[in-house]
């Protein structure tokens, strides 16, 4: 089925390890986003991408790396995980126009021990 | 930088009553878009309603309506005839016309009492 999928759904890792969260969408949407959701902070934008090979920082990019070599994929990498990166991570996509709604993945719950 | 503020961390409403959730934003742009998203306990994000800043008429979607005050930079959500299924986190969000990114507020947790 068409849609936006994130993997893994749950991940436990240790501080200092590298972790990659995957995001794949089948609509060929131009825009893709990574948000983290924490209690009391709502959703905060980490990185976003307007097209393949175009990425921009959001509000909280430190400690994260993204790439977008193909339109449909937008992986998020934590280069050296820290406990403060324990969070629920959401990937989202949408068409070009800013008034288009976002389509969200189911989220990845990441715990850094 | 644009900011979105939701000043009510939690709200409660009696079933069948009306509740209003507040949202203010800060921007220097004249062209932008505003949204309300709902997140039930399932964590799924659902678009409730959206408003284009150039439209003076307030958006409505069934029991959901907004009060958009552009000069005051206010975008409140009114839920009429509240139902148990309306219980969720509600997020206000902003997207500038010249930008690609969507900025969210911290959310308001709405409880509905039977």
């Amino acid at each position: 089925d068409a849609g936006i999928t994130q993997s893994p759904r749950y991940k436990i890792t240790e501080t200092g390890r590298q972790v990659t969260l995957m995001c794949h969408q089948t609509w060929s949407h131009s825009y893709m986003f990574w948000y983290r959701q924490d209690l009391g902070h709502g959703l905060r934008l980490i990185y976003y991408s307007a097209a393949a090979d175009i990425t921009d920082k959001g509000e909280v990019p430190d400690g994260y790396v993204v790439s977008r070599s193909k339109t449909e994929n937008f992986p998020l990498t934590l280069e050296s995980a820290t406990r403060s990166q324990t969070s629920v991570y959401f990937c989202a996509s949408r068409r070009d126009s800013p008034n288009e709604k976002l389509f969200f993945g189911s989220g990845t719950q990441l715990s850094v021990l | 930088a644009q900011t979105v503020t939701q000043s009510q961390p939690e709200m409660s409403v009696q079933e069948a009553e009306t509740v209003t959730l507040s949202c203010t934003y800060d921007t220097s742009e004249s062209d932008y878009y505003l949204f309300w998203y709902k997140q039930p306990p399932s964590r799924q994000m659902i678009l409730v309603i959206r408003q284009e800043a150039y439209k003076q008429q307030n958006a409505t979607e069934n029991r959901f309506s907004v009060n958009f005050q552009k000069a005051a930079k206010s975008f409140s959500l009114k839920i009429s005839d509240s139902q148990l299924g309306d219980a969720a986190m509600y997020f206000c969000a902003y997207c500038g016309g010249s930008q690609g990114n969507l900025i969210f507020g911290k959310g308001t947790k709405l409880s509905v009492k039977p």
Side-chain angles (χ1 to χ4, degrees):
Chain A
D1 285 340
I4 181 166
T5 54
Q6 291 183 235
S7 62
R9 191 73 189 269
Y10 302 92
K11 176 74 176 178
I12 300 174
T13 191
E14 296 176 339
T15 55
R17 289 192 181 268
Q18 184 179 82
V19 177
T20 296
L21 309 184
M22 305 301 292
C23 181
H24 175 79
Q25 53 105 355
T26 60
W27 294 296
S28 298
H29 284 169
S30 300
Y31 279 87
M32 295 189 75
F33 305 82
W34 275 106
Y35 292 91
R36 60 177 289 174
Q37 184 174 15
D38 304 286
L39 196 63
H41 291 278
L43 283 92
R44 291 182 290 176
L45 182 64
I46 305 171
Y47 271 96
Y48 68 104
S49 168
D53 297 322
I54 300 175
T55 61
D56 266 306
K57 294 179 180 179
E59 304 164 80
V60 289
D62 293 344
Y64 303 95
V65 174
V66 293
S67 62
R68 194 161 176 213
S69 57
K70 293 184 178 181
T71 300
E72 61 267 28
N73 296 323
F74 191 40
L76 176 73
T77 297
L78 289 66
E79 293 187 298
S80 178
T82 65
R83 289 184 180 174
S84 65
Q85 292 177 311
T86 292
S87 186
V88 178
Y89 292 84
F90 285 97
C91 178
S93 71
R94 67 143 218 258
R95 297 191 193 105
D96 271 339
S97 175
N99 75 332
E100 292 283 343
K101 77 172 188 177
L102 290 189
F103 290 83
F104 284 83
S106 300
T108 294
Q109 189 165 325
L110 176 67
S111 296
V112 183
L113 305 179
Chain B
Q2 290 79 14
T3 58
V4 177
T5 301
Q6 294 180 248
S7 58
Q8 306 152 317
E10 295 187 22
M11 291 283 285
S12 180
V13 64
Q14 204 73 31
E15 195 175 6
E17 296 295 307
T18 295
V19 65
T20 299
L21 308 184
S22 301
C23 174
T24 58
Y25 56 94
D26 188 22
T27 183
S28 58
E29 296 182 291
S30 58
D31 180 27
Y32 52 87
Y33 304 85
L34 298 164
F35 306 80
W36 279 98
Y37 280 84
K38 169 185 176 180
Q39 187 184 42
S42 66
R43 251 173 30 187
Q44 180 186 8
M45 292 289 287
I46 303 165
L47 176 65
V48 175
I49 198 165
R50 66 186 126 186
Q51 174 84 39
E52 292 87 351
Y54 63 85
K55 289 186 178 179
Q56 291 186 334
Q57 187 172 7
N58 289 323
T60 61
E61 289 285 345
N62 301 313
R63 297 183 295 108
F64 299 87
S65 62
V66 298
N67 183 4
F68 173 48
Q69 301 289 327
K70 191 171 184 178
K73 296 179 182 174
S74 172
F75 183 60
S76 60
L77 174 69
K78 185 171 85 171
I79 306 174
S80 304
D81 185 27
S82 296
Q83 300 175 1
L84 295 177
D86 294 333
M89 283 290 290
Y90 285 82
F91 293 98
C92 180
Y94 168 99
C95 186
S98 61
Q99 299 173 318
N101 56 326
L102 193 67
I103 303 298
F104 285 85
K106 292 184 178 182
T108 296
K109 184 177 181 181
L110 178 66
S111 302
V112 181
K113 297 179 180 178

